[in-house]
Amino acid sequence: MREILVETIKNTIKDLFIDANKSLCREEETAILTAAQNEDSPLGKKVMKMIADNLFFAKNADLPICQDTGMAVVFIDIGQDVHITGGDLNNAINDGVAQAYTDGKLRASVVKDPVFDRSNTKNNTPAIVHTNIISGDKIKITAVPKGFGSENMSAIKMFNPSSSREEIIDFVCETVKDAGSNPCPPIFVGVGIGGTFDYAPYLAKKALARGINVKNPDENYKKLEDDILEKVNNVGIGPQGFGGKTTALGVNIEFYPTHIAGLPVAVNINCHVMRHKSAII
Ligand code: SF4
């Protein structure tokens, strides 16, 4: 049994959220730079250039890429041969988030209660935590500061089990069309297919956190990712809604077995600021 101190987890979370807010992973940065080169629409190209410049300035000035520094989403995969010591895991995660947003001077955007007391918690806690037990003696942590301009444009549909592949593609495209310029395009699209009503959106979020360079290992779903991306880029919304062929920079799908009577599909939209940073301890 390997012992890992909660202090180590807290410090890792803090560093990941600060880093994720100030620089994208190489794959998403490359997708933006490539799109800035390839966009045909003059206005779209100009916008892509501004988005690319903004990434560069944020990194060099040690500033957040966007004023919306997101709600803190944490994926934590815990090896079953790990013994977490020195305190409570959930407290450590939230302490790490709180330190990232206060010490890192990142905007706090979380309110105490969604309906009756929308006062700011002032340190961006509590985080949304997805815990998964895996084999081994390591912990993998992925920090995803999730912007809400794009989160608000996400959708779920409980399809009839006899629904076709094309109906799923149409649902994703309609969701993107309805979103228009609201999610700050070009977007990244996470799609969760299967499971239950609550599990499909989790899969969609997990798909976004996977990174755009990792395609689905299943050939059917990999092809579906490619076909959805092509169709979404034909809707013409373009960078920040100014038109062009770059509406989305990537589509990732995660799937899971489901019930014979159902076919849940969730679409989680992320803006061009697709922040995710991971560490293994
Ligand atoms: S959706 Fe993304 S780019 Fe738009 S304001 Fe939020 S974090 Fe920033």
Side-chain angles (χ1 to χ4, degrees):
M1 192 63 86
R2 177 170 167 244
E3 294 206 343
I4 297 181
L5 283 169
V6 285
E7 186 74 9
T8 309
I9 296 170
K10 182 189 79 178
N11 292 336
T12 304
I13 298 248
K14 176 188 171 184
D15 292 346
L16 287 174
F17 273 101
I18 291 176
D19 186 25
N21 269 292
K22 294 180 177 177
S23 66
L24 296 184
C25 289
R26 188 180 294 275
E27 57 267 28
E28 280 83 21
E29 188 180 86
T30 303
I32 286 174
L33 299 180
T34 306
Q37 293 289 326
N38 296 345
E39 177 55 61
D40 296 331
S41 136
L43 201 46
K45 200 177 181 71
K46 205 170 167 185
V47 171
M48 285 309 304
K49 172 90 172 49
M50 290 166 88
I51 288 173
D53 285 350
N54 179 56
L55 289 184
F56 176 78
F57 291 134
K59 205 191 284 182
N60 283 311
D62 198 30
L63 288 169
I65 301 163
C66 183
Q67 45 76 33
D68 176 0
T69 50
M71 188 160 190
V73 178
V74 176
F75 290 90
I76 180 159
D77 296 338
I78 304 172
Q80 62 186 12
D81 297 327
V82 170
H83 180 206
I84 296 167
T85 59
D88 178 86
L89 173 64
N90 282 316
N91 288 345
I93 292 171
N94 280 309
D95 287 351
V97 169
Q99 285 189 12
Y101 280 78
T102 49
D103 296 2
K105 297 187 174 52
L106 306 172
R107 193 186 82 184
S109 311
V110 173
V111 296
K112 277 184 192 148
D113 179 297
V115 180
F116 300 107
D117 179 7
R118 290 188 68 89
S119 54
N120 199 304
T121 63
K122 300 223 166 47
N123 60 14
N124 226 43
T125 64
I128 304 291
V129 183
H130 300 289
T131 308
N132 191 24
I133 304 298
I134 56 169
S135 61
D137 64 355
K138 293 189 169 47
I139 294 179
K140 181 179 179 190
I141 300 170
T142 300
V144 182
K146 185 66 178 73
F148 253 60
S150 53
E151 191 75 357
N152 285 338
M153 298 296 117
S154 303
I156 182 165
K157 184 167 179 176
M158 303 302 282
F159 277 89
N160 188 301
S162 61
S163 301
S164 66
R165 181 182 188 278
E166 279 58 44
E167 285 174 273
I168 294 172
I169 294 175
D170 287 348
F171 170 58
V172 180
C173 285
E174 282 307 312
T175 304
V176 171
K177 258 195 239 170
D178 290 348
S181 63
N182 290 309
C184 305
I187 56 173
F188 293 88
V189 185
V191 184
I193 304 179
T196 49
F197 178 75
D198 55 313
Y199 202 69
Y202 160 74
L203 292 172
K205 175 85 71 271
K206 200 171 158 206
L208 284 175
R210 198 172 80 201
I212 210 57
N213 59 334
V214 185
K215 303 305 290 179
N216 196 297
D218 180 287
E219 276 308 312
N220 286 327
Y221 285 96
K222 179 177 177 297
K223 177 85 170 63
L224 190 55
E225 289 175 343
D226 292 342
D227 291 352
I228 291 175
L229 181 61
E230 190 183 333
K231 278 227 166 175
V232 162
N233 278 329
N234 284 335
V235 303
I237 293 170
Q240 298 290 7
F242 288 108
K245 65 181 185 183
T246 320
T247 296
L249 294 168
V251 174
N252 278 3
I253 298 174
E254 290 283 323
F255 69 98
Y256 196 78
T258 192
H259 192 278
I260 49 172
L263 201 181
V265 179
V267 181
N268 194 195
I269 295 183
N270 205 94
C271 57
H272 60 274
V273 190
M274 182 55 252
R275 298 166 288 205
H276 65 100
K277 287 282 165 79
S278 297
I280 295 174
I281 51 179

